[in-house]
Amino acid sequence: MSHTNHAKDLVRMANQIAVHFATYPHEEAVTETATHIRKFWDPRMRAGLFAHVQAGGEADLHEVARGAVGVLQAR
């Protein structure tokens, strides 16, 4: 799988999680999305998502997923 396709898959999955929690109050949705990614994603998957964001791909993420990335990176 190419790096681009892998990044697209990670963004798609992060956005699916974010949409699932988007009906929660915003801060709770961000926290729950971050918790899900931390608990269930392999560290390489998280690193790939962080690298995508750092390379300028932040706009590809749902606002809840963007917040979750920020929470995870702050840890």
Side-chain angles (χ1 to χ4, degrees):
M1 178 182 303
S2 75
H3 172 72
T4 303
N5 286 340
H6 183 64
K8 286 181 182 179
D9 287 340
L10 295 172
V11 167
R12 179 183 51 78
M13 290 186 289
N15 285 339
Q16 287 175 332
I17 297 163
V19 167
H20 173 78
F21 290 114
T23 58
Y24 290 32
H26 183 76
E27 288 304 315
E28 185 177 357
V30 167
T31 299
E32 292 296 330
T33 301
T35 298
H36 180 92
I37 291 170
R38 182 180 47 78
K39 283 184 174 181
F40 299 109
W41 282 31
D42 182 276
R44 293 170 294 182
M45 292 171 69
R46 290 192 302 268
L49 182 62
F50 299 160
H52 179 73
V53 168
Q54 290 171 345
E58 186 173 283
D60 298 336
L61 291 172
H62 185 283
E63 67 178 303
V64 170
R66 276 194 308 271
V69 167
V71 167
L72 291 165
Q73 289 181 317
R75 290 183 141 223

